[in-house]
Amino acid sequence: MSYFVEDPRRMRTKLRLDLKDVRKQIEDMEELLKSDKSAENVEAHQKLVDYEEKLKDQYQKMTGLSVDQASNLEDKYKKEEKKSKSKFALLLGFLGGMLVSYGFYNTLLHSIVGFGPMDVLGYFTGTGGSTASLDLFVAGMIYGNSLYLIVGPLLGGALFVFLGSILDRSRSFFPRLLEGTGFLISVGLMGYVLFGADTQTVTLAFLGSILLLAATMLAGGALLSLASFSNKGGLSKISNLLAGILFIYSGAQLYLLTMLPTIDDKALELVYQWPWIIIPVILGAALFGINRFFRLFR
């Protein structure tokens, strides 16, 4: 029974392949005729043209569509499929960017006294204070549900961005790989350090990872900046370039922090400066996500 169902499909496929082969032969013959218009070549060309028309007639009788109509429908289907995949990729990028922004914002909350928006505003206006020590800062991030509210959005969001970049067919593969990798390396280390170390050693692990965290943010921001030039549209280029620059700025601040003379000073300064260090990454990730959101409706 399956033979009779599949046979017409095989015949249509064979006809399309035969037509493609004949078309190639006709083009080659036409190229030859430019230099050799012998009667033999002219006759061979005419036979190929007649055979092509015969195949087209057979195809139209079998499918009810001309070859051109079938090709147009196939092209339309491929464009719709590509558009659908790109929409899904953009949605992943939007969700990923916003999750990363949210995860880093949650780290900021543990570096100041209080968790409300007014506490954050108070810190930046000079009326609020920072957490008393690095131990309290890190302990707050890994205690109870706080760990999952930070690590989950950071690692999950970075993975969403990576997958969204890989699936986005509107650009060539290499820039998409740079973009996705930039997010993964910029965000992944932070989540790994917090989630991977035990409660006794996580503070030391976090403090000891500052230089590496700075390097990953610098490298990730550079990759995001390079990948931004492959985006279509000036606004997409500018927003993604700015996101990369903001990641670089955070990485540069962390790097400069490693130049402090003593570990104690570095630990205290890290807690105090953390909101200023991490705000650019929060804004950069959010900007990336917002750009993907608006591209959904183009």
Side-chain angles (χ1 to χ4, degrees):
M1 188 70 178
S2 61
Y3 172 81
F4 294 103
V5 174
E6 294 176 3
D7 190 59
R9 295 178 184 175
R10 291 176 181 175
M11 291 183 66
R12 286 197 299 269
T13 302
K14 184 178 184 304
L15 277 173
R16 293 289 294 273
L17 292 174
D18 288 345
L19 277 164
K20 185 176 180 180
D21 182 58
V22 171
R23 171 44 47 185
K24 178 67 170 57
Q25 292 182 51
I26 290 173
E27 290 173 355
D28 291 342
M29 183 59 69
E30 288 174 346
E31 190 67 26
L32 179 62
L33 285 171
K34 291 179 181 179
S35 58
D36 183 4
K37 294 184 179 180
S38 64
E40 182 181 352
N41 287 341
V42 171
E43 183 181 358
H45 176 263
Q46 188 58 49
K47 286 182 178 179
L48 287 171
V49 170
D50 292 341
Y51 183 54
E52 183 184 42
E53 290 300 320
K54 181 181 177 181
L55 290 176
K56 286 182 177 180
D57 289 340
Q58 288 180 5
Y59 188 87
Q60 186 161 2
K61 288 177 182 178
M62 179 178 292
T63 64
L65 296 171
S66 68
V67 174
D68 290 338
Q69 288 174 326
S71 297
N72 290 335
L73 285 174
E74 185 178 353
D75 290 342
K76 183 179 180 181
Y77 173 78
K78 288 181 178 178
K79 286 179 181 178
E80 289 297 325
E81 186 180 32
K82 182 178 179 181
K83 184 178 180 181
S84 177
K85 288 182 178 178
S86 294
K87 292 288 185 184
F88 178 66
L90 291 173
L91 180 61
L92 285 177
F94 163 65
L95 293 174
M98 302 312 292
L99 281 171
V100 168
S101 181
Y102 175 71
F104 275 121
Y105 175 74
N106 284 336
T107 71
L108 180 150
L109 292 178
H110 291 282
S111 67
I112 63 174
V113 178
F115 285 85
M118 295 307 297
D119 297 307
V120 177
L121 182 62
Y123 173 87
F124 285 106
T125 57
T127 60
S130 62
T131 302
S133 69
L134 181 64
D135 286 334
L136 289 175
F137 171 44
V138 176
M141 288 193 289
I142 65 172
Y143 179 76
N145 292 332
S146 296
L147 177 63
Y148 302 103
L149 291 174
I150 292 172
V151 174
L154 288 180
L155 296 184
L159 183 60
F160 277 7
V161 171
F162 181 79
L163 291 175
S165 297
I166 295 299
L167 293 174
D168 185 3
R169 303 297 185 184
S170 63
R171 296 173 293 160
S172 58
F173 177 75
F174 185 64
R176 291 184 278 126
L177 180 63
L178 291 182
E179 183 178 86
T181 304
F183 252 85
L184 272 182
I185 65 174
S186 301
V187 177
L189 180 67
M190 178 78 174
Y192 172 77
V193 169
L194 292 177
F195 190 73
D198 58 61
T199 54
Q200 285 75 35
T201 61
V202 68
T203 300
L204 291 175
F206 185 75
L207 188 60
S209 300
I210 293 175
L211 184 59
L212 187 55
L213 185 60
T216 56
M217 283 190 176
L218 286 167
L223 293 180
L224 285 172
S225 299
L226 287 172
S228 68
F229 294 103
S230 70
N231 283 295
K232 296 179 180 179
L235 188 59
S236 288
K237 282 185 173 69
I238 292 172
S239 61
N240 282 14
L241 177 61
L242 184 56
I245 291 172
L246 288 168
F247 271 73
I248 291 172
Y249 182 68
S250 286
Q253 288 188 87
L254 276 174
Y255 175 76
L256 292 175
L257 190 60
T258 64
M259 299 295 103
L260 293 175
T262 66
I263 292 178
D264 289 339
D265 286 344
K266 183 165 61 177
L268 291 172
E269 192 70 12
L270 175 63
V271 179
Y272 178 73
Q273 294 291 345
W274 186 257
W276 297 101
I277 291 170
I278 217 64
I279 275 286
V281 178
I282 295 172
L283 295 176
L287 185 62
F288 180 92
I290 291 169
N291 172 258
R292 291 298 190 271
F293 177 77
F294 283 112
R295 282 181 59 192
L296 278 170
F297 302 100
R298 288 182 184 176

